[in-house]
Amino acid sequence: MTTATQRGGKVLKDVGDTLRSGLRSGDFPARIGGDEFAVLLPDTDFDAARKFSPRLVETLEKQDEEE
């Protein structure tokens, strides 16, 4: 039997894995609390970051649908 805590831990791990797999080597994903994440994108201008954000959301939504 899987508890809610175990399930939540798996979800957080999966989100972290998804973040890392979609980032460049110099980018830095971080869990900042609870279920909140931030991604530092060094050497990225505002326009590039704006284009990155929707792609990241789409990737995470696809991950959610697959589970």
Side-chain angles (χ1 to χ4, degrees):
M1 175 184 245
T2 302
T3 67
T5 301
Q6 290 170 325
R7 176 76 177 129
K10 182 182 180 328
V11 168
L12 291 173
K13 181 187 177 312
D14 290 348
V15 169
D17 291 345
T18 299
L19 286 175
R20 280 191 299 279
S21 71
L23 299 177
R24 302 169 299 184
S25 62
D27 296 340
F28 186 78
R31 181 174 170 207
I32 58 174
D35 61 355
E36 299 170 336
F37 289 83
V39 179
L40 300 179
L41 303 168
D43 302 318
T44 304
D45 65 22
F46 182 75
D47 290 332
R50 279 184 81 160
K51 291 176 184 174
F52 168 78
S53 299
R55 289 195 317 260
L56 177 60
V57 170
E58 182 179 317
T59 300
L60 292 169
E61 287 173 343
K62 284 180 184 176
Q63 174 189 335
D64 185 45
E65 291 171 3
E66 292 173 1
E67 293 190 15

